[in-house]
Amino acid sequence: MARMNVNPNRMELSKLKQRLSVAKRGHKLLKDKQDALIKAFLEKARSGKDLREQVEKELAECYGTFVLSRAQTTPEILEQALMFPGAKSTLTVDWHNVMSVMVPEYNVEQQGNPVNYGFVNVPLLLDAALERFSKLILNLLKLAAEEKAIRLMAGEIERTRRRVNALEYVMIPNLVETIRYISMKLDEQERSTLSRLMKIKEIVSA
């Protein structure tokens, strides 16, 4: 606990008391913000975990269907069928404020049909695989937004925690110690002045 290097006078004492009051209010607000952030972070992390498990399951099913379709045709026919994409996706990003953290929300608009090839020599499972992949994009983007929000919130929690600790363990104790030091100095000066006045009074009375 370090004492600040200030002049021990009443003006400085008044300023330090005001700073201490502001620091305590700021500490309480930051502590409340940290608690709310942690609560929101845990909720987001749980929902993100559930969504990731769902997306991984759907992705495995999509790849399984695609592998089966690939086994039913030749690489040349498959490459020719997938050479020109028939669907187009447009991505937009919206930002939302969650506990002073700007988190993204991805929106995708799909146009066209992913199945844009001739059906001769092309297995039906390829149609199912492409349609599944097309639907999976929405959940993949939702998962990306969730995990980005989780990382941003974790960073904000860490920054808030550092500020709370700086106030709690450095600034507020230093202010309290300095106020105590100035108060003691002022009391000593007051007692010294009173003692001198009493001496002067005794001399005058004599």
Side-chain angles (χ1 to χ4, degrees):
M1 202 160 42
R3 175 166 51 81
M4 298 177 181
N5 187 18
V6 294
N7 293 324
N9 55 53
R10 296 194 180 279
M11 185 176 292
E12 286 293 341
L13 181 62
S14 177
K15 288 180 182 178
L16 289 173
K17 284 182 176 179
Q18 289 178 357
R19 286 182 62 186
L20 179 61
S21 176
V22 171
K24 286 181 175 179
R25 285 202 305 271
H27 175 267
K28 184 181 183 306
L29 290 173
L30 284 173
K31 190 74 172 173
D32 292 343
K33 177 186 175 182
Q34 177 181 293
D35 294 342
L37 268 172
I38 291 173
K39 182 179 177 182
F41 172 82
L42 292 175
E43 291 175 357
K44 185 74 73 174
R46 280 192 289 268
S47 64
K49 178 178 177 292
D50 295 339
L51 182 59
R52 171 169 278 279
E53 290 174 354
Q54 177 188 340
V55 167
E56 287 177 350
K57 181 181 177 182
E58 291 176 1
L59 197 58
E61 292 173 354
C62 289
Y63 276 118
T65 307
F66 182 75
V67 167
L68 288 174
S69 69
R70 190 173 62 181
Q72 294 178 2
T73 186
T74 63
E76 292 78 14
I77 293 176
L78 187 64
E79 183 179 351
Q80 186 176 3
L82 300 177
M83 186 176 296
F84 300 104
K88 177 183 177 183
S89 298
T90 304
L91 179 68
T92 58
V93 183
D94 294 326
W95 294 89
H96 300 283
N97 191 328
V98 178
M99 299 301 299
S100 302
V101 181
M102 299 302 294
V103 299
E105 180 182 337
Y106 302 132
N107 302 301
V108 64
E109 183 181 349
Q110 295 178 325
Q111 297 173 334
N113 188 350
V115 182
N116 69 326
Y117 44 77
F119 296 105
V120 181
N121 298 327
V122 178
L124 289 175
L125 281 176
L126 183 60
D127 301 354
L130 292 179
E131 288 175 358
R132 278 188 166 186
F133 276 119
S134 179
K135 293 176 181 176
L136 183 62
I137 288 175
L138 300 175
N139 279 341
L140 279 172
L141 289 172
K142 186 177 178 183
L143 177 62
E146 288 283 306
E147 295 196 342
K148 179 67 174 177
I150 288 169
R151 285 195 295 271
L152 291 171
M153 291 173 74
E156 185 64 21
I157 288 170
E158 180 61 24
R159 284 189 292 273
T160 305
R161 185 186 65 81
R162 285 199 297 266
R163 291 172 187 158
V164 168
N165 288 344
L167 284 169
E168 186 172 348
Y169 298 110
V170 180
M171 189 172 186
I172 291 176
N174 289 353
L175 286 168
V176 170
E177 177 64 17
T178 307
I179 288 170
R180 189 179 68 83
Y181 166 75
I182 294 176
S183 298
M184 288 175 59
K185 280 289 185 182
L186 291 175
D187 288 343
E188 288 177 8
Q189 291 174 8
E190 189 174 344
R191 283 194 297 270
S192 178
T193 302
L194 185 60
S195 178
R196 283 198 301 270
L197 287 174
M198 290 176 69
K199 281 280 188 184
I200 293 170
K201 185 177 179 181
E202 287 176 5
I203 292 170
V204 170
S205 298

